[in-house]
Amino acid sequence: MTRRIIQTDNAPAPVGPYNQAVVASGQLVFVAGQIPLDAETGQLISSDDVVAQTHQCMANLKAILVAAGATLEDVVKTTIFLKDMSDFGAMNGAYATYFSDQSAPARACIEVARLPKDVRVEIECMAVIS
C-alpha cells in the first residue's frame, strides 16, 4: 500500500490522534462498526467504562483487520460513535494508544442518541492493503 498523509495550514489542525486526510492505494477493507463485545464470551465489556469499551472495540477491529490481511497501520479512516460526547476525552486517550501522530487515519466522531446494546462507544474503520 502507498500512503500519503495530507496536512495543510489552510484547514484547521487536528485536535486529536488523527490526520486531515490520507491518500492511499490498494485494496479497500471496510470494517463494520464494532461494539465492546468480548469475542470469547459474547459479553459486553464494562458497561460504564468508555476507556475499557474503546480498548475492546479496537481489539475487535484489529482482529478483523488481521483476518483480512491488514493491520491498524493500514487504516485510513475511522468513525467513532459516542453515546455521550462528554466521554470524548477519555475515549480519545484510549484511542490515541493505537495510532502514532504521523500515521493516524482520518477520523470523525459523532454523538448519537443510542447504540446497540446501549454501549457507550462503537468504532468502524476503512483500511487499504496492497
mmCIF file of all heavy atoms in Angstrom, residues 1-3 5 22 24 58 62 65-66 70-77 97-105 125-129:
data_model
loop_
_atom_site.group_PDB
_atom_site.id
_atom_site.type_symbol
_atom_site.label_atom_id
_atom_site.label_comp_id
_atom_site.label_asym_id
_atom_site.label_seq_id
_atom_site.Cartn_x
_atom_site.Cartn_y
_atom_site.Cartn_z
ATOM 1 N N MET A 1 0.838 -1.172 0.000
ATOM 2 C CA MET A 1 0.000 0.000 0.000
ATOM 3 C C MET A 1 0.887 1.240 0.000
ATOM 4 O O MET A 1 1.865 1.307 0.719
ATOM 5 C CB MET A 1 -0.886 0.017 1.251
ATOM 6 C CG MET A 1 -1.601 1.338 1.446
ATOM 7 S SD MET A 1 -2.576 1.486 2.948
ATOM 8 C CE MET A 1 -1.347 1.664 4.206
ATOM 9 N N THR A 2 0.528 2.199 -0.822
ATOM 10 C CA THR A 2 1.164 3.501 -0.706
ATOM 11 C C THR A 2 0.241 4.380 0.109
ATOM 12 O O THR A 2 -0.980 4.285 0.007
ATOM 13 C CB THR A 2 1.426 4.138 -2.086
ATOM 14 O OG1 THR A 2 0.182 4.312 -2.756
ATOM 15 C CG2 THR A 2 2.343 3.272 -2.925
ATOM 16 N N ARG A 3 0.840 5.206 0.926
ATOM 17 C CA ARG A 3 0.067 6.026 1.856
ATOM 18 C C ARG A 3 0.754 7.383 1.983
ATOM 19 O O ARG A 3 1.954 7.455 2.201
ATOM 20 C CB ARG A 3 0.038 5.300 3.202
ATOM 21 C CG ARG A 3 -0.655 5.992 4.299
ATOM 22 C CD ARG A 3 -0.466 5.150 5.568
ATOM 23 N NE ARG A 3 -1.029 5.807 6.685
ATOM 24 C CZ ARG A 3 -2.077 5.367 7.367
ATOM 25 N NH1 ARG A 3 -2.626 4.241 7.057
ATOM 26 N NH2 ARG A 3 -2.542 6.048 8.377
ATOM 27 N N ILE A 5 0.110 11.159 3.920
ATOM 28 C CA ILE A 5 -0.662 11.981 4.863
ATOM 29 C C ILE A 5 -0.809 13.380 4.279
ATOM 30 O O ILE A 5 0.163 13.964 3.809
ATOM 31 C CB ILE A 5 0.039 12.053 6.233
ATOM 32 C CG1 ILE A 5 0.220 10.658 6.827
ATOM 33 C CG2 ILE A 5 -0.706 12.980 7.186
ATOM 34 C CD1 ILE A 5 -1.047 9.903 7.097
ATOM 35 N N VAL A 22 -5.864 11.137 4.316
ATOM 36 C CA VAL A 22 -4.881 10.125 3.952
ATOM 37 C C VAL A 22 -5.179 9.705 2.515
ATOM 38 O O VAL A 22 -6.314 9.355 2.191
ATOM 39 C CB VAL A 22 -4.959 8.887 4.874
ATOM 40 C CG1 VAL A 22 -3.952 7.835 4.447
ATOM 41 C CG2 VAL A 22 -4.750 9.286 6.327
ATOM 42 N N ALA A 24 -4.375 6.895 -0.235
ATOM 43 C CA ALA A 24 -3.857 5.529 -0.216
ATOM 44 C C ALA A 24 -4.276 4.791 -1.482
ATOM 45 O O ALA A 24 -5.288 5.114 -2.102
ATOM 46 C CB ALA A 24 -4.389 4.789 1.015
ATOM 47 N N MET A 58 -11.339 -1.528 19.726
ATOM 48 C CA MET A 58 -10.100 -1.544 18.948
ATOM 49 C C MET A 58 -9.553 -2.965 18.807
ATOM 50 O O MET A 58 -9.044 -3.336 17.748
ATOM 51 C CB MET A 58 -9.063 -0.611 19.565
ATOM 52 C CG MET A 58 -9.447 0.864 19.514
ATOM 53 S SD MET A 58 -9.761 1.506 17.848
ATOM 54 C CE MET A 58 -8.131 1.341 17.111
ATOM 55 N N LYS A 62 -8.964 -4.757 15.274
ATOM 56 C CA LYS A 62 -7.656 -5.335 14.968
ATOM 57 C C LYS A 62 -7.788 -6.793 14.530
ATOM 58 O O LYS A 62 -7.172 -7.216 13.548
ATOM 59 C CB LYS A 62 -6.734 -5.212 16.184
ATOM 60 C CG LYS A 62 -5.322 -5.662 15.938
ATOM 61 C CD LYS A 62 -4.462 -5.415 17.171
ATOM 62 C CE LYS A 62 -3.056 -5.936 16.958
ATOM 63 N NZ LYS A 62 -2.209 -5.728 18.128
ATOM 64 N N LEU A 65 -9.235 -6.893 11.026
ATOM 65 C CA LEU A 65 -8.227 -6.457 10.057
ATOM 66 C C LEU A 65 -7.208 -7.553 9.790
ATOM 67 O O LEU A 65 -6.844 -7.807 8.636
ATOM 68 C CB LEU A 65 -7.528 -5.187 10.552
ATOM 69 C CG LEU A 65 -8.367 -3.918 10.512
ATOM 70 C CD1 LEU A 65 -7.692 -2.811 11.316
ATOM 71 C CD2 LEU A 65 -8.617 -3.465 9.079
ATOM 72 N N VAL A 66 -6.736 -8.220 10.840
ATOM 73 C CA VAL A 66 -5.769 -9.311 10.680
ATOM 74 C C VAL A 66 -6.371 -10.422 9.809
ATOM 75 O O VAL A 66 -5.707 -10.944 8.910
ATOM 76 C CB VAL A 66 -5.306 -9.845 12.054
ATOM 77 C CG1 VAL A 66 -4.562 -11.166 11.915
ATOM 78 C CG2 VAL A 66 -4.426 -8.805 12.744
ATOM 79 N N ALA A 70 -4.694 -7.300 6.991
ATOM 80 C CA ALA A 70 -4.312 -5.909 7.245
ATOM 81 C C ALA A 70 -3.920 -5.736 8.705
ATOM 82 O O ALA A 70 -4.038 -6.667 9.515
ATOM 83 C CB ALA A 70 -5.483 -4.975 6.903
ATOM 84 N N THR A 71 -3.464 -4.531 9.037
ATOM 85 C CA THR A 71 -3.142 -4.175 10.416
ATOM 86 C C THR A 71 -3.718 -2.791 10.682
ATOM 87 O O THR A 71 -4.225 -2.123 9.767
ATOM 88 C CB THR A 71 -1.623 -4.130 10.661
ATOM 89 O OG1 THR A 71 -1.072 -3.003 9.951
ATOM 90 C CG2 THR A 71 -0.934 -5.415 10.225
ATOM 91 N N LEU A 72 -3.598 -2.330 11.903
ATOM 92 C CA LEU A 72 -4.039 -0.973 12.218
ATOM 93 C C LEU A 72 -3.248 0.066 11.425
ATOM 94 O O LEU A 72 -3.755 1.150 11.142
ATOM 95 C CB LEU A 72 -3.916 -0.698 13.722
ATOM 96 C CG LEU A 72 -4.934 -1.409 14.611
ATOM 97 C CD1 LEU A 72 -4.611 -1.180 16.088
ATOM 98 C CD2 LEU A 72 -6.354 -0.939 14.299
ATOM 99 N N GLU A 73 -2.022 -0.249 11.035
ATOM 100 C CA GLU A 73 -1.216 0.664 10.222
ATOM 101 C C GLU A 73 -1.830 0.894 8.843
ATOM 102 O O GLU A 73 -1.524 1.887 8.182
ATOM 103 C CB GLU A 73 0.209 0.137 10.070
ATOM 104 C CG GLU A 73 1.023 0.226 11.335
ATOM 105 C CD GLU A 73 1.291 1.662 11.761
ATOM 106 O OE1 GLU A 73 1.661 2.494 10.910
ATOM 107 O OE2 GLU A 73 1.106 1.951 12.962
ATOM 108 N N ASP A 74 -2.696 -0.007 8.395
ATOM 109 C CA ASP A 74 -3.332 0.110 7.089
ATOM 110 C C ASP A 74 -4.628 0.917 7.137
ATOM 111 O O ASP A 74 -5.222 1.202 6.097
ATOM 112 C CB ASP A 74 -3.642 -1.283 6.526
ATOM 113 C CG ASP A 74 -2.378 -2.097 6.311
ATOM 114 O OD1 ASP A 74 -1.416 -1.561 5.739
ATOM 115 O OD2 ASP A 74 -2.360 -3.273 6.737
ATOM 116 N N VAL A 75 -5.081 1.285 8.333
ATOM 117 C CA VAL A 75 -6.341 2.023 8.481
ATOM 118 C C VAL A 75 -6.156 3.446 7.973
ATOM 119 O O VAL A 75 -5.202 4.130 8.337
ATOM 120 C CB VAL A 75 -6.811 2.012 9.956
ATOM 121 C CG1 VAL A 75 -8.024 2.913 10.148
ATOM 122 C CG2 VAL A 75 -7.132 0.588 10.389
ATOM 123 N N VAL A 76 -7.095 3.885 7.122
ATOM 124 C CA VAL A 76 -7.034 5.239 6.578
ATOM 125 C C VAL A 76 -8.175 6.119 7.087
ATOM 126 O O VAL A 76 -8.107 7.340 6.971
ATOM 127 C CB VAL A 76 -7.013 5.241 5.028
ATOM 128 C CG1 VAL A 76 -5.734 4.599 4.516
ATOM 129 C CG2 VAL A 76 -8.240 4.571 4.446
ATOM 130 N N LYS A 77 -9.224 5.532 7.660
ATOM 131 C CA LYS A 77 -10.368 6.324 8.150
ATOM 132 C C LYS A 77 -11.075 5.547 9.247
ATOM 133 O O LYS A 77 -11.287 4.345 9.131
ATOM 134 C CB LYS A 77 -11.341 6.592 6.993
ATOM 135 C CG LYS A 77 -12.672 7.232 7.375
ATOM 136 C CD LYS A 77 -12.514 8.694 7.703
ATOM 137 C CE LYS A 77 -13.822 9.463 7.775
ATOM 138 N NZ LYS A 77 -14.662 9.164 8.895
ATOM 139 N N THR A 97 -3.652 5.497 21.852
ATOM 140 C CA THR A 97 -2.612 4.486 22.083
ATOM 141 C C THR A 97 -2.438 3.540 20.899
ATOM 142 O O THR A 97 -1.480 2.779 20.854
ATOM 143 C CB THR A 97 -2.891 3.666 23.361
ATOM 144 O OG1 THR A 97 -4.092 2.913 23.185
ATOM 145 C CG2 THR A 97 -3.011 4.579 24.580
ATOM 146 N N TYR A 98 -3.341 3.589 19.925
ATOM 147 C CA TYR A 98 -3.310 2.663 18.793
ATOM 148 C C TYR A 98 -2.683 3.245 17.534
ATOM 149 O O TYR A 98 -2.392 2.501 16.600
ATOM 150 C CB TYR A 98 -4.722 2.162 18.474
ATOM 151 C CG TYR A 98 -5.265 1.323 19.589
ATOM 152 C CD1 TYR A 98 -5.997 1.902 20.627
ATOM 153 C CD2 TYR A 98 -4.998 -0.040 19.660
ATOM 154 C CE1 TYR A 98 -6.468 1.141 21.680
ATOM 155 C CE2 TYR A 98 -5.471 -0.808 20.714
ATOM 156 C CZ TYR A 98 -6.193 -0.211 21.716
ATOM 157 O OH TYR A 98 -6.648 -0.970 22.766
ATOM 158 N N PHE A 99 -2.505 4.567 17.482
ATOM 159 C CA PHE A 99 -2.005 5.213 16.272
ATOM 160 C C PHE A 99 -0.961 6.267 16.629
ATOM 161 O O PHE A 99 -1.149 7.025 17.567
ATOM 162 C CB PHE A 99 -3.154 5.895 15.505
ATOM 163 C CG PHE A 99 -4.247 4.957 15.082
ATOM 164 C CD1 PHE A 99 -5.458 4.953 15.751
ATOM 165 C CD2 PHE A 99 -4.071 4.089 14.013
ATOM 166 C CE1 PHE A 99 -6.478 4.089 15.361
ATOM 167 C CE2 PHE A 99 -5.076 3.227 13.622
ATOM 168 C CZ PHE A 99 -6.292 3.232 14.287
ATOM 169 N N SER A 100 0.108 6.335 15.833
ATOM 170 C CA SER A 100 1.087 7.411 16.021
ATOM 171 C C SER A 100 0.563 8.671 15.347
ATOM 172 O O SER A 100 -0.270 8.607 14.442
ATOM 173 C CB SER A 100 2.432 7.010 15.413
ATOM 174 O OG SER A 100 2.355 7.030 13.996
ATOM 175 N N ASP A 101 1.052 9.823 15.785
ATOM 176 C CA ASP A 101 0.628 11.083 15.178
ATOM 177 C C ASP A 101 0.944 11.125 13.686
ATOM 178 O O ASP A 101 0.197 11.687 12.901
ATOM 179 C CB ASP A 101 1.300 12.274 15.867
ATOM 180 C CG ASP A 101 0.754 12.510 17.265
ATOM 181 O OD1 ASP A 101 -0.332 11.982 17.595
ATOM 182 O OD2 ASP A 101 1.417 13.234 18.032
ATOM 183 N N GLN A 102 2.051 10.516 13.287
ATOM 184 C CA GLN A 102 2.476 10.556 11.899
ATOM 185 C C GLN A 102 1.638 9.667 10.989
ATOM 186 O O GLN A 102 1.513 9.945 9.804
ATOM 187 C CB GLN A 102 3.952 10.145 11.761
ATOM 188 C CG GLN A 102 4.913 11.078 12.441
ATOM 189 C CD GLN A 102 4.954 10.888 13.957
ATOM 190 O OE1 GLN A 102 4.668 9.816 14.466
ATOM 191 N NE2 GLN A 102 5.302 11.945 14.666
ATOM 192 N N SER A 103 1.069 8.585 11.510
ATOM 193 C CA SER A 103 0.351 7.652 10.640
ATOM 194 C C SER A 103 -1.121 7.493 11.011
ATOM 195 O O SER A 103 -1.802 6.634 10.458
ATOM 196 C CB SER A 103 1.031 6.276 10.682
ATOM 197 O OG SER A 103 0.904 5.712 11.982
ATOM 198 N N ALA A 104 -1.624 8.315 11.901
ATOM 199 C CA ALA A 104 -3.020 8.196 12.317
ATOM 200 C C ALA A 104 -3.954 8.401 11.126
ATOM 201 O O ALA A 104 -3.684 9.201 10.238
ATOM 202 C CB ALA A 104 -3.335 9.216 13.407
ATOM 203 N N PRO A 105 -5.058 7.662 11.106
ATOM 204 C CA PRO A 105 -6.010 7.817 10.000
ATOM 205 C C PRO A 105 -6.822 9.102 10.139
ATOM 206 O O PRO A 105 -6.816 9.747 11.188
ATOM 207 C CB PRO A 105 -6.920 6.592 10.164
ATOM 208 C CG PRO A 105 -6.855 6.270 11.625
ATOM 209 C CD PRO A 105 -5.466 6.635 12.062
ATOM 210 N N CYS A 125 -14.035 1.223 10.722
ATOM 211 C CA CYS A 125 -12.853 1.722 10.021
ATOM 212 C C CYS A 125 -12.828 1.263 8.575
ATOM 213 O O CYS A 125 -13.530 0.333 8.184
ATOM 214 C CB CYS A 125 -11.566 1.307 10.729
ATOM 215 S SG CYS A 125 -11.120 -0.427 10.593
ATOM 216 N N MET A 126 -11.974 1.957 7.816
ATOM 217 C CA MET A 126 -11.643 1.586 6.436
ATOM 218 C C MET A 126 -10.128 1.461 6.378
ATOM 219 O O MET A 126 -9.412 2.303 6.920
ATOM 220 C CB MET A 126 -12.111 2.657 5.463
ATOM 221 C CG MET A 126 -13.611 2.725 5.327
ATOM 222 S SD MET A 126 -14.095 4.089 4.260
ATOM 223 C CE MET A 126 -14.476 5.305 5.520
ATOM 224 N N ALA A 127 -9.675 0.424 5.714
ATOM 225 C CA ALA A 127 -8.233 0.190 5.579
ATOM 226 C C ALA A 127 -7.919 -0.078 4.110
ATOM 227 O O ALA A 127 -8.800 -0.463 3.338
ATOM 228 C CB ALA A 127 -7.798 -0.986 6.440
ATOM 229 N N VAL A 128 -6.664 0.119 3.766
ATOM 230 C CA VAL A 128 -6.187 -0.154 2.418
ATOM 231 C C VAL A 128 -4.998 -1.090 2.538
ATOM 232 O O VAL A 128 -4.043 -0.810 3.261
ATOM 233 C CB VAL A 128 -5.772 1.129 1.677
ATOM 234 C CG1 VAL A 128 -5.275 0.804 0.269
ATOM 235 C CG2 VAL A 128 -6.926 2.116 1.621
ATOM 236 N N ILE A 129 -5.067 -2.220 1.813
ATOM 237 C CA ILE A 129 -3.953 -3.172 1.825
ATOM 238 C C ILE A 129 -3.465 -3.380 0.407
ATOM 239 O O ILE A 129 -4.207 -3.212 -0.554
ATOM 240 C CB ILE A 129 -4.341 -4.520 2.482
ATOM 241 C CG1 ILE A 129 -5.581 -5.120 1.837
ATOM 242 C CG2 ILE A 129 -4.544 -4.349 3.954
ATOM 243 C CD1 ILE A 129 -5.973 -6.467 2.367
#
